[in-house]
Amino acid sequence: MHAAWTRLAVQTLEAEAHRSADTHLIRLDLPAFPGIPLYLKDESVHPTGSLKHRLARSLFLYAICNGWLEEGRPVIEASSGSTAISEAYFARLLNLPFFAVMPRSTSRDKVAQIEFFGGHCHFIDDTDVYGAAQRLASELGGHYMDQFTYAERATDWRGNNNIAESIFRQMQREPDPSPRWIVVPAGTGGTSATIGRYIRYRATQADRTQLAVVDPEHSVFYDYYYSRDPNLQLSRGSRIEGIGRPRVEPSFIPGVIDRMLRIPDAASIAALRLLETLLGRCCGGSTGTNLVGALQLMSEMNSQGERGPVVTLICDGGERYKGSYYDTTWLAREGLQQPDVLSRLESVVRDGRWID
């Protein structure tokens, strides 16, 4: 009986993957950066609206094939954002109960999206979502998915239509098919691990490609990259949801990263306004962080006379952040309404030179 359910579950997830067409790769040619086209991999078009759709599918397949999930067993995750939304979607697809452990302060919009896909929200009053998720899994006899541990190993980094393989396949017919830089946020570390490993695995195809990871304020990854101190911790969380972490997560693999950039939160938010003028789209905060990092690298290439594509991600859409990044009251309270920062970024796009 268990083997039959496993086969059906895997078939169901594989069928969902085939229904989900590949995400778009959008090209932006900025006149101030001749020979340095910017490509944005639009992960917001997944059925659950974010890059985490790929991760959630991989986590479920990994758990099923490891024998950790079986028919009717609850799934528990420590997440208040896009991962929980995507995992709730896949749990519903497999008819499994899903519980997202999150701080009580989580926005009602996020809660509503998790509940829309049939998930249950388990609120806590402190910050130990990890411990609370483990305890809830024990109480319910469920499986703690633990994205922060398994993100780097659940995805097949050698290929199988992962995000890295998809980027290089979509670049094949471009005038210059080999990205000079791929820019991604840290988050769980799963995306950077997948792309960084793939670049090394396909060294002939990616002969000059390097991986840059951007990290926001109030996150330990940038410092950990240089110090390699696994005990680093912060007392508060990042304002750029989904990427900054207050502790070093097991899935973050610094050895596959060629460069890390720390991006001020005000610049990430300003970049969202800039992206609206470039794309006519509202995006989430991590996409703003990506754009700032990409522009910094493009400016360096420009000044050195270097040419080649730069690829980054649209991680999710801006509709999830109406109460934060697109709310003037929230921005004012956080001190993130800084028109001069937007002006500097607009100058970078106009003149092709980085301004600190």
Side-chain angles (χ1 to χ4, degrees):
M1 193 69 169
H2 177 68
W5 182 86
T6 297
R7 286 195 296 272
L8 179 60
V10 171
Q11 290 169 3
T12 300
L13 294 175
E14 291 294 297
E16 192 278 339
H18 281 283
R19 290 196 302 273
S20 300
D22 204 357
T23 59
H24 310 304
L25 189 63
I26 301 167
R27 175 172 171 147
L28 281 180
D29 290 288
L30 304 176
F33 296 94
I36 312 176
L38 174 63
Y39 293 84
L40 299 116
K41 180 73 164 159
D42 187 3
E43 295 293 286
S44 72
V45 299
H46 283 295
T48 55
S50 82
L51 170 67
K52 300 298 186 180
H53 192 85
R54 293 181 189 266
L55 171 61
R57 185 195 295 120
S58 295
L59 287 169
F60 271 88
L61 280 169
Y62 190 71
I64 290 166
C65 293
N66 278 328
W68 298 340
L69 273 182
E70 57 190 31
E71 186 173 8
R73 190 176 190 195
V75 176
I76 294 87
E77 184 60 279
S79 171
S80 61
S82 295
T83 302
I85 294 168
S86 295
E87 287 189 19
Y89 167 89
F90 283 105
R92 186 177 71 174
L93 202 63
L94 299 174
N95 198 29
L96 298 173
F98 176 75
F99 297 84
V101 177
M102 63 187 68
R104 196 172 299 279
S105 59
T106 300
S107 74
R108 185 60 209 170
D109 288 340
K110 292 279 185 71
V111 171
Q113 287 188 297
I114 294 167
E115 291 177 342
F116 174 79
F117 289 118
H120 306 277
C121 297
H122 180 83
F123 299 102
I124 63 171
D125 293 312
D126 56 30
T127 58
D128 184 20
V129 291
Y130 315 97
Q134 289 173 327
R135 289 190 295 273
L136 183 62
S138 179
E139 292 169 10
L140 298 176
H143 170 62
Y144 173 30
M145 197 68 87
D146 194 2
Q147 58 167 325
F148 299 109
T149 295
Y150 296 110
E152 58 89 6
R153 66 197 74 170
T155 299
D156 183 358
W157 50 267
R158 297 170 188 84
N160 195 22
N161 197 34
N162 66 34
I163 190 169
E165 184 181 55
S166 176
I167 288 171
F168 281 98
R169 184 176 63 250
Q170 290 178 315
M171 289 291 297
Q172 284 177 352
R173 296 184 182 274
E174 295 302 301
D176 187 343
S178 180
R180 178 62 186 85
W181 286 99
I182 297 178
V183 183
V184 301
T188 60
T191 300
S192 58
T194 298
I195 293 176
R197 287 165 171 162
Y198 187 88
I199 288 171
R200 285 156 179 77
Y201 182 63
R202 298 294 188 190
T204 302
Q205 182 183 6
D207 56 346
R208 63 170 180 169
T209 304
Q210 291 183 285
L211 174 65
V213 172
V214 289
D215 201 33
E217 296 175 31
H218 312 298
S219 179
V220 300
F221 290 128
Y222 178 88
D223 291 327
Y224 173 63
Y225 179 76
Y226 290 103
S227 72
R228 294 301 200 270
D229 179 2
N231 299 311
L232 291 175
Q233 287 196 4
L234 296 174
S235 59
R236 63 161 296 175
S238 169
R239 292 178 292 191
I240 308 302
E241 294 184 36
I243 57 174
R245 301 299 306 167
R247 71 169 196 179
V248 179
E249 303 295 354
S251 277
F252 182 72
I253 311 297
V256 305
I257 299 166
D258 297 294
R259 185 168 174 187
M260 284 206 69
L261 302 170
R262 174 169 279 161
I263 309 298
D265 289 352
S268 295
I269 300 306
L272 298 183
R273 274 54 186 182
L274 177 62
L275 201 55
E276 282 189 73
T277 66
L278 296 174
L279 282 183
R281 297 266 303 276
C282 292
C283 299
S286 56
T287 303
T289 310
N290 290 341
L291 180 60
V292 176
L295 289 173
Q296 182 174 340
L297 293 170
M298 292 166 67
S299 298
E300 291 177 6
M301 291 172 62
N302 220 11
S303 67
Q304 296 165 7
E306 189 177 355
R307 298 295 177 254
V310 174
V311 180
T312 192
L313 310 177
I314 297 176
C315 297
D316 61 4
E319 65 277 355
R320 296 180 177 180
Y321 307 98
K322 293 177 182 178
S324 53
Y325 310 137
Y326 293 92
D327 184 291
T328 55
T329 301
W330 185 89
L331 292 173
R333 185 172 67 247
E334 296 291 330
L336 294 175
Q337 280 186 316
Q338 299 183 23
D340 59 314
V341 179
L342 176 57
S343 296
R344 289 201 297 272
L345 288 178
E346 291 171 336
S347 177
V348 171
V349 171
R350 183 176 61 251
D351 302 328
R353 296 192 301 272
W354 185 253
I355 301 174
D356 288 316

